Amino acid sequence: MRRAILAAALMPSTIAIALLMSDLPTPSLVFDMKALQIYTDGTTGINSSPIPPLALLNDRGVLEPSSTSDEHVFDFDCTAAPFRICDAHSNEPFCYLHSSVIRSREQAVEGQDDPFATFLAELDLSPSTCGTSGAELVLGLYNHHVGSYYWARSAGSGASMEAPGVLFDGGVLRWENELGPIQCNSNDGKRSEWVNFLRAGDTVQLLPFDVDDTIFSMTCNKGQANRIFGVSSKNRPLGSEPVVVCEWRLKQ
């Protein structure tokens, strides 16, 4: 709680050292910095080059990083030529929409939230923030609703595993049909089942289908323009929550 109060007091001009991902305001955009380093460097991320600025398409601006941690787990080079986001050499997603649940399944209102049987949760994330292509719910970078097995599955590229049968529609998470987890869930069980247990105040991550468009949409929103952060579990204990290591600002 104290970290959250401190974060609120210091945003958006700066960030306190050692904030955790759960301390960040929502909605916000978070970059998995290890995946981003693989993305920009085209390597395994071991002994990689410093992370450069990121250039949006169509000359819509350049995102520049600034470190917020004394641990220096990543190196940045703002003097380097910006890396065009479309020039990806990795299939590992690095960009997630970080959102909070504002109403849970138990708080659904019949007649207002129809189809009532499919309602799972309302998020504080506007569909317009997701760009024109939308986004899908995924297991996420840190998920306290799943056990250790699924935490291990969510490490690294597993964070982008979709929640089968769950749709993000008009700011609301819903089952694809009224049979819910019986019809929609995957064969390995809990890939989607955890969504049933979301409560107000929980955080989730969604994977945008168009990263460039989503970043641009976020920066166009005056209230969210300074809500792009880098998080990492590098040098952290296994299973621990990612720490905030940098923030990104748009220069046009």
Side-chain angles (χ1 to χ4, degrees):
M1 177 63 73
R2 292 180 63 186
R3 284 196 307 268
I5 294 173
L6 182 59
L10 295 178
M11 296 289 182
S13 59
T14 186
I15 303 179
I17 293 174
L19 285 181
L20 300 178
M21 193 171 76
S22 60
D23 295 320
L24 292 176
T26 60
S28 59
L29 209 57
V30 294
F31 294 165
D32 178 346
M33 296 305 293
K34 181 180 179 181
L36 177 60
Q37 191 166 48
I38 295 172
Y39 181 92
T40 59
D41 198 61
T43 71
T44 60
I46 300 174
N47 298 322
S48 297
S49 302
I51 296 174
L54 300 178
L56 301 186
L57 299 180
N58 302 317
D59 297 321
R60 295 192 289 188
V62 174
L63 283 176
E64 290 189 349
S66 60
S67 178
T68 60
S69 171
D70 285 342
E71 298 179 12
H72 302 294
V73 291
F74 292 94
D75 293 323
F76 306 102
D77 185 2
C78 290
T79 65
F83 183 90
R84 287 172 59 84
I85 289 177
C86 62
D87 296 338
H89 300 289
S90 168
N91 292 323
E92 185 169 350
F94 71 87
C95 178
Y96 297 83
L97 285 157
H98 182 53
S99 177
S100 292
V101 174
I102 56 178
R103 282 195 305 136
S104 69
R105 185 181 182 91
E106 294 178 346
Q107 296 169 301
V109 179
E110 200 160 1
Q112 173 184 322
D113 297 311
D114 293 339
F116 184 75
T118 66
F119 184 95
L120 285 166
E122 181 182 359
L123 306 183
D124 62 357
L125 180 66
S126 168
S128 63
T129 305
C130 305
T132 56
S133 300
E136 66 176 350
L137 182 71
V138 293
L139 197 55
L141 296 168
Y142 184 73
N143 190 332
H144 70 275
H145 285 285
V146 295
S148 57
Y149 169 72
Y150 273 85
W151 167 81
R153 288 284 297 274
S154 71
S157 60
S160 63
M161 288 194 301
E162 80 284 0
V166 178
L167 302 174
F168 178 61
D169 180 25
V172 172
L173 297 175
R174 294 186 178 277
W175 289 116
E176 286 182 346
N177 61 59
E178 293 187 1
L179 290 179
I182 298 174
Q183 182 70 28
C184 300
N185 212 356
S186 59
N187 291 332
D188 57 355
K190 299 184 184 300
R191 286 270 300 279
S192 302
E193 192 175 90
W194 61 272
V195 189
N196 276 313
F197 302 98
L198 289 173
R199 297 292 180 265
D202 286 344
T203 57
V204 296
Q205 286 87 57
L206 293 88
L207 193 68
F209 294 123
D210 187 329
V211 172
D212 179 88
D213 199 35
T214 300
I215 292 173
F216 184 69
S217 297
M218 177 70 76
T219 56
C220 285
N221 187 318
K222 291 184 178 180
Q224 300 169 13
N226 296 321
R227 291 188 179 184
I228 305 178
F229 307 100
V231 301
S232 175
S233 295
K234 187 176 180 178
N235 300 333
R236 299 272 293 161
L238 291 177
S240 62
E241 185 177 352
V243 68
V244 180
V245 296
C246 69
E247 60 180 327
W248 295 77
R249 295 296 179 92
L250 183 69
K251 293 188 66 177
Q252 294 179 313

